[in-house]
Amino acid sequence: MEGLKVAKANLKVYIHPSKSNQVSRAVLRELSSLLFTYNEIFDGVVLAYDVNSLDPCAKILPGINPYIGVKLKVNLLLFSPKPDTLLEGKVVKLTQESIHLVVLGFSSAIIAEKDIREEFLCKTKRGQEVYASRTNKRHVIKVGTVIRFLVKSFDEEILHVYGSLIPEHTGSIYWLDKNLEVVSHNDRSEKKRKSEGEQIMLQQHAVNGELSSLDIVQKRKNSKKLKHQEES
Amino acid sequence: MGRVQVGDKAEFSRMENGDFSDSELIHHFRGVLVAVSAGDRENYDELVGYLHPKGNLNPDEVAILVTTLKALSGAASYIDSVHHEALLFAVSRMSLWNYGTDVMDALLELIISLAASNGKYIDWCLEMLVKHFVPPYYLLDSLKQENGIDRKTKVLSRVHAALKEIADLVPLAPLRLSPIVVQKMPSVFSKEPEIVMYVENMLKLESGAIGEIIGSTMLPALVDRLLDLDVEIGWDGILQEDGKCIFEMELEDFTEFGDDENCDSMPPSELLNRRKLQGNLVVDKVDSLMVLTFLHLESCQSSGRLAEVFDVLLGSFQKTVLNAYKSKFTQFVMFYASALDPEGCGVKFAMVLTDMFCRDVNPPITRMSAVAYLASYLSRAKFLSAALVTNILQSLVNWCYAYCKSHNFDMNPRAHQVFYSGCQAVMYILCFRLRSLMDIPRLKLQLLNMPMEAIWKHKLSPLKVCLPTVVVEFLRQAKAAQFFMMSETFVFNDMLESDFSKAFGGMDRLDMFFPFDPCLLKKSESYIRPHFVRWSKVRTTYDDDDDNEVSDSGSEASDDDFVDRNAMDMIDDDMMVSVEGLDFTPDLNKMSITPKNSLKYGFETRCTRMPARIRPSTSPESL
């Protein structure tokens, strides 16, 4: 699955003086406020954070409220699906008009009928609606199936993905993996690597993390005001 | 245009005859919806026309409406917020409460499809569902009838099922739902059935499948609204305005009390105050909401999630209730939750309050308030063990003792208000608990070993600053229990009066804030009663002789005794001395939040009127 990356961020968190006796808690609280919301600066949705180091020296801002600026280095796990990347999600609802999915347990996705390739046909089996492939009898998508699909667009506010099942290499993961073993060797190695789990991907991203390392101190400063309001 | 119209109508009539398959219909609707962006609105307008609410629908119209809605939900991904505004508006005006189950299901299907098909509609859909928590104005009254109840369950069960389904399809929907629910909450001025029904739904959400995510906002929002209502009552004001006639009313009411069976066990002054509150719409609202909350807490207990709910409540208590100026009723939510689980929640509440008092980082007003809550809680809660009370007393005394040691100053009520409130808390708790603690040898020893005497004798002289009634009662009990005895004379014999207490606590008079004084709400009180210690039932150290007489009639006599005490709440602190002179037992007349109105009315008039008016109900014992 694509769309996940690890970023190293140098942050400066401004803490209200009233929280000066519990700085680390206040920092974590502030970081938690980033979770599950799209952040333009990070260009993604923060899914998890890991504080690497906390600068023991903090700068006190002169002013009526002497906010404390704590510097810290954080590893962030970001979710940023871009158009034409492949995501994986679990089918939660299936109708003739659309397939509804949940990606990573929090983001909803929909694949409308017009974005499902003609290979698939909606049938009713034992009272349940399923999408079955015309060419491969075993390739079936039903509620509970994990499928791989292509991102068409991403609504950043609601974290809603619009997907598509048009390309050939999309569909039920179970079937794709099995099928590719038999059909194409080239493809297999690629697909297998993908299916071996997010962990490898994540590690790779972490290794290549330098490119995503962001120094966003400057930008954070700009958004400081907003933060103050939130805090107070 | 005409032609299309005819065609469309024909289609609708075919639809009625079942000539169209579902998918054909959906295709047709998609076409209609897409055509709008191209400028062709005729079919679309007709479609919208079908959705506009009308009066009573005949079966055919119902069938058309259902089919239209179902087909629309199939075409939901084609609905565009810009081009199809009229359609969305028409849908938003439909109310589940006005239709039968077929239309309800179809409408909800449309709402769910809309929510799942496009992120833009999620808020709109959630708002639409939340709107159905309360029926339209004109249906509110009919809900008490049988078919009203039936309809209520039909609508609400569907609404909650729909919310659950949306949450399944859009996992982050609950996060957006909670602010909507809080925002749409009926205001303080809304009607009682409306707000009660809304809160019922909030609590249902809290205990429901998505409660895990939104539960942490529902209860605090409810507590905040309770507090809003609580503040709205402002009964200090009511009583002061009517101050003049309080005693006349009391006299008139005495005759009625005998008739009122339910109120037998209740001191008349409390009844009086309750009656004062009767007819106050806001009070009824608070009462109903409190009962709802209590029932909810009970259900939480039976489903084993009381502890987690209590944590949420505790958080909101610390944030809002604790610092609200003399909150009158809301705190009983905490009391009841503690009563349901004395070992867990009950102990935790006491510990948290102790901790808040002892921590220097908290502002003085918070600490004073916390210790006032603590004192009242430990005194009034029947379910707390004597050992716990002793341990907390120990930590309070230790704190006060340490304070004395580090502050070698003269008496100054303003500067050391936290200390004085701590001392008063210790005395207040002992007024209620001394006798029961003395009965247990181990705890008695612990009590005797506490460095209390050093505190009372310290230069800060807490006995002169704290509320005289509390001090007097405490000393009386201490004397009877043979505390602080030195060569057979009681050390504090000359310490029984004070003028300084007024300065302590400042304008807020936190010194006389006892949050868990008897609850004046009729319905809620019945839930609290089994767990609540009334002053009249407290066995003091000095009424040893009455041990054998504590029978039913005996307790009633002491109830009457309480009458006087409570009635005397109206008297100024200083009054106590003269009341004592008039052969009244000095007692805990201040152990109520009943406001005093001494500032307004002269001392002398009251002094002469009080005893005369109270006497008819006094027990032989107290006379």
Side-chain angles (χ1 to χ4, degrees), chain B residues 29-40:
Chain B
F29 271 51
R30 283 181 190 174
V32 171
L33 291 172
V34 171
V36 176
S37 50
D40 176 12

Side-chain angles (χ1 to χ4, degrees), chain B residues 92-376:
Chain B
S92 75
R93 281 188 54 197
M94 295 178 78
S95 173
L96 296 176
W97 292 93
N98 294 332
Y99 297 105
T101 49
D102 293 343
V103 183
M104 281 184 209
D105 288 333
L107 180 59
L108 286 172
E109 197 185 322
L110 173 61
I111 292 174
I112 293 168
S113 314
L114 267 175
S117 67
N118 193 331
K120 278 179 209 151
Y121 297 123
I122 185 100
D123 286 349
W124 183 86
C125 294
L126 294 175
E127 270 175 36
M128 176 97 184
L129 289 173
V130 169
K131 205 171 72 184
H132 286 100
F133 281 1
V134 178
Y137 190 65
Y138 50 87
L139 281 177
L140 266 178
D141 295 332
S142 69
L143 286 182
K144 285 174 193 134
Q145 294 152 11
E146 202 171 310
N147 57 357
I149 295 169
D150 184 42
R151 174 179 294 212
K152 182 177 157 184
T153 46
K154 272 182 188 161
V155 172
L156 293 179
S157 62
R158 280 178 170 77
V159 167
H160 285 277
L163 285 171
K164 165 83 174 62
E165 203 173 334
I166 291 181
D168 286 343
L169 294 175
V170 187
L172 290 180
L175 285 183
R176 310 185 76 88
L177 176 64
S178 42
I180 292 174
V181 172
V182 174
Q183 203 184 355
K184 297 269 169 193
M185 206 169 167
S187 77
V188 182
F189 307 106
S190 55
K191 290 204 159 191
E192 188 192 338
E194 191 185 341
I195 192 163
V196 167
M197 234 178 125
Y198 195 91
V199 168
E200 264 174 35
N201 283 294
M202 281 174 74
L203 294 175
K204 202 168 171 186
L205 274 181
E206 201 273 336
S207 55
I210 49 178
E212 218 177 308
I213 311 170
I214 60 170
S216 55
T217 36
M218 292 298 109
L219 284 172
L222 171 58
V223 169
D224 287 354
R225 187 46 47 95
L226 273 175
L227 203 60
D228 288 346
L229 289 164
D230 195 325
V231 171
E232 199 65 30
I233 294 168
W235 77 299
D236 293 31
I238 300 172
L239 282 184
Q240 272 184 6
E241 277 167 34
D242 300 339
K244 264 185 203 161
C245 53
I246 283 176
F247 305 112
E248 281 108 63
M249 279 185 58
E250 194 163 342
L251 263 187
E252 284 158 22
D253 286 349
F254 278 141
T255 46
E256 292 168 37
F257 288 145
D259 308 333
D260 202 341
E261 287 172 19
N262 298 331
C263 304
D264 268 356
S265 61
M266 197 173 301
S269 71
E270 204 179 310
L271 259 186
L272 166 77
N273 284 331
R274 184 180 281 186
R275 276 170 199 222
K276 283 222 140 293
L277 292 175
Q278 254 172 26
N280 185 336
L281 292 175
V282 186
V283 173
D284 293 344
K285 273 185 240 173
V286 177
D287 203 7
S288 309
L289 293 185
M290 294 277 285
V291 170
L292 266 185
T293 320
F294 290 164
L295 290 175
H296 181 70
L297 287 173
E298 278 171 17
S299 79
C300 288
Q301 191 205 18
S302 50
S303 59
R305 44 193 287 276
L306 184 65
E308 95 198 44
V309 168
F310 185 78
D311 285 343
V312 175
L313 281 175
L314 193 60
S316 89
F317 172 81
Q318 282 173 297
K319 242 185 245 163
T320 52
V321 182
L322 184 67
N323 288 320
Y325 174 62
K326 290 193 180 176
S327 160
K328 292 171 276 299
F329 311 115
T330 318
Q331 61 269 29
F332 280 100
V333 173
M334 294 305 292
F335 190 91
Y336 195 65
S338 304
L340 287 177
D341 178 18
E343 306 287 314
C345 306
V347 174
K348 192 170 185 181
F349 188 43
M351 289 304 178
V352 166
L353 286 173
T354 317
D355 188 51
M356 288 192 82
F357 170 68
C358 294
R359 285 182 68 160
D360 294 343
V361 288
N362 293 327
I365 195 92
T366 306
R367 300 174 70 186
M368 289 170 70
S369 191
V371 85
Y373 270 99
L374 181 67
S376 193

Side-chain angles (χ1 to χ4, degrees), chain B residues 407-464:
Chain B
H407 294 76
N408 197 17
F409 304 117
D410 282 336
M411 184 169 69
N412 182 349
R414 279 273 148 108
H416 307 287
Q417 45 183 356
V418 176
F419 167 72
Y420 291 123
S421 62
C423 293
Q424 179 167 304
V426 171
M427 285 187 267
Y428 187 79
I429 296 168
L430 284 176
C431 287
F432 276 82
R433 296 276 188 172
L434 189 58
R435 170 67 185 267
S436 55
L437 297 185
M438 294 302 273
D439 288 348
I440 306 169
R442 184 173 60 84
L443 301 180
K444 183 178 177 181
L445 195 69
Q446 197 180 347
L447 262 185
L448 288 171
N449 284 333
M450 288 183 196
M452 266 192 272
E453 196 172 330
I455 300 173
W456 310 141
K457 277 181 169 170
H458 190 265
K459 264 163 57 183
L460 288 165
S461 12
L463 293 185
K464 285 190 181 163

